Amino acid sequence: MSKSDLYPVDPAIAARAHMDSAAYDAARVAAREEPDRYWSEVAKRLDWSRFPTKIKDVSFDKADFHIRWFEDGELNVAYNCVDRHLAERANETAIIWEGDDPADDARITFAELHEQVCRMANVLKSNGVKKGDRVTLYLPMIPAAAYAMLACARIGAVHSVVFGGFSPDSLAGRIEDCGSRIVITADEGRRGGKKVPLKANVDEALKKVAVDTVIVVSHTGGAIDWVEGRDVRYEEAAAAASPECPCEPMNAEDPLFILYTSGSTGKPKGVLHTTGGYLLWASWTQAMVFDYRPGEVFWCTADVGWVTGHTYVVYGALANAATTLMFEGVPNYPDVSRFWQVVDKHKVDIFYTAPTALRALMREGDEPVKSASRKSLRLLGTVGEPINPEAWRWYHEVVGDGRLPIVDTWWQTETGGALIAPLPGATDLKPGSATKPLPGVELEIVDAEGRPLEGAVEGGLCITDSWPGQMRTVYGDHQRFFDTYFSTYPGKYFTGDGCRRDEDGYYWITGRLDDVLNVSGHRMGTAEIESALVSHDDVAEAAVVGFPHDIKGQGVYAYVTLNADVQPSEDLRRALVAHVRKEIGPIASPDVIQWAPGLPKTRSGKIMRRILRKIAENDVTSLGDTSTLADPSVVDDLVRNRAQSQ
Ligand code: ATP
Ligand code: MG
């Protein structure tokens, strides 16, 4: 692994932080030893119509498997995210919307948010939606997406947000899986200057699965087909609806939403989160990990179609009365300095994005970053994949001018919010490490037989106890929930990720265990070799997989994307092999390097190594579920070039 230099906590940040290192240490102990007392105290950050007296009731054992938090508590998520802020902040900005076109933006106050959520809730009610019903949302990144989520929460309906970039087939599958009878969409979305035909996609999807109602928000005003009796014009219905709607009191364990995982490793799972534990985790982690205070502008670049958007664009942020920025566009439109222009325009305090975006921007050099001042920023964050130390340093030095801490947050759709992450006032940083578990997160690294490993070790990452934000089931398939997460290592939640713990107790995600390579008996995570490749000056991005090798068992097959101005050559190929040998050792040196102008990624930007493995193995007839791929043509290119490069 690259040299793990330490970036100590800035004492000025520690002095004002919600948690400094002493508070963090104390919270770790309290959450472990007295979870009921600790979480009951933390639960006071929410407004409950009935405060819970039962806090934690959990067993991961097969015979008595159950997960319940705050089970006699009663609250409403929309009340917590909107209504309770009205007394003091009615006229403060809840949502800053930045359109795909830099000329489009809007600011929505808490008072306006309240009215919009109520109107949307009443439109849902008048279309027959009741507590417990599932509502599918297929929307662009516009404020109406937040209104719709909160409107469902207000009346106790369960939303299933489907990312607007998904195809009609993917949408149909998700509508069918959760059995929703209603879809909320928009005429069209906009991304990178192009229009996304959302309503047309819904029409197409509904040839495969029937619903009663389609509510259509007008966004671009583009022409759409209309099905009388099924389609409802949102603006007309909302104008006729009351601007007041009572909040349905919900039990803490009532479902809040269903969200399908990214599908990096296979068929997406319908992850179900509940009301109390999820909201608490979302709110508490947003405050602690980002050290958030009202008045600051918080920008999480994720789409609300992903859990990151659910937790940090909408629920966690708004529960804390944050000013949350919703961005409809993409990092490279109109040009590659867009992120930094938006930071300056809206005076963003906290910026949170994915390594895939950073690597793409890094490829374009420093100038687009330097062209903006970024002086409003005080904290950076990342999520979604391991961040290569090289990209971490670029983020810190170029974007952060060497002055901003980076919170690398490890979590999953299943976990509801961040689980491993530094706290800005408590944790010294190491580039490439998500650092340490949050209070209440009990990690274990296990060997292949599930035996816990002590000290500085590498193995499978498990979690031995529950935390409030844990998912409660796979929608409609509780057995799959148990089998997927609790049967591999009985009594533990298995994350599916590989992880190394260093001598300081820092955690380093090494990639997905399914992707681990076994070269001549040495097990290696993908992240390490990829980071070594990316640390070469000419490399923008890399993905590594194993392939059958007569002598070594598995060989190392590397797909490499070069920087914008670099041409592939035999010399460069040799230089990269030598570079990996020097950085890690001969055991990791790639047997094959294939130049890859693009890598197959999920719509959320994660590399799908299982497809790369198939190509490396020359087994391209059965690529598995590719429905969540961002750009399927990348795969065809790689298959074609493989033939040439062998
Ligand atoms: P599926 O479960 O359908 O295969 P997925 O795992 O990609 O899809 P998500 O829940 O969106 O779906 O992603 C969670 C995974 O993302 C984690 O298990 C981990 O592999 C990776 N990940 C997220 N954040 C980080 C991080 N900060 N560092 C390293 N890996 C991360
Ligand atoms: Mg996963």
Side-chain angles (χ1 to χ4, degrees), residues 173-296:
R174 285 162 177 72
I175 293 172
E176 190 159 34
D177 189 82
C178 75
S180 64
R181 305 293 311 165
I182 181 162
V183 178
I184 308 178
T185 190
D187 46 8
E188 295 172 315
R190 283 197 186 94
R191 269 171 83 81
K194 297 192 192 75
K195 289 188 173 170
V196 186
L198 295 174
K199 172 63 164 64
N201 287 350
V202 171
D203 291 339
E204 193 59 35
L206 295 184
K207 291 178 183 163
K208 305 213 156 128
V209 55
V211 302
D212 304 325
T213 311
V214 178
I215 295 178
V216 186
V217 175
S218 163
H219 177 46
T220 65
I224 50 175
D225 291 339
W226 201 257
V227 178
E228 280 311 328
R230 184 195 74 183
D231 298 350
V232 174
R233 279 192 180 78
Y234 178 67
E235 289 69 22
E236 282 172 21
S242 161
E244 291 293 341
C245 173
C247 290
E248 186 74 27
M250 302 297 286
N251 181 272
E253 283 297 335
D254 281 337
L256 176 64
F257 65 82
I258 298 163
L259 181 64
Y260 294 84
T261 55
S262 306
S264 306
T265 56
K267 187 173 181 288
K269 300 170 274 279
V271 167
L272 183 127
H273 280 287
T274 56
T275 301
Y278 169 80
L279 188 67
L280 189 72
W281 198 258
S283 140
W284 182 70
T285 57
Q286 199 268 347
M288 297 304 144
V289 174
F290 300 99
D291 201 33
Y292 184 79
R293 244 156 282 259
E296 294 176 328

Side-chain angles (χ1 to χ4, degrees), residues 49 53 65 102 106 108 162 270 273 282 369 376 437 625 639:
S49 47
T53 63
F65 180 65
I108 291 106
V162 179
H273 280 287
V369 185
S376 59
D625 186 349
V639 170

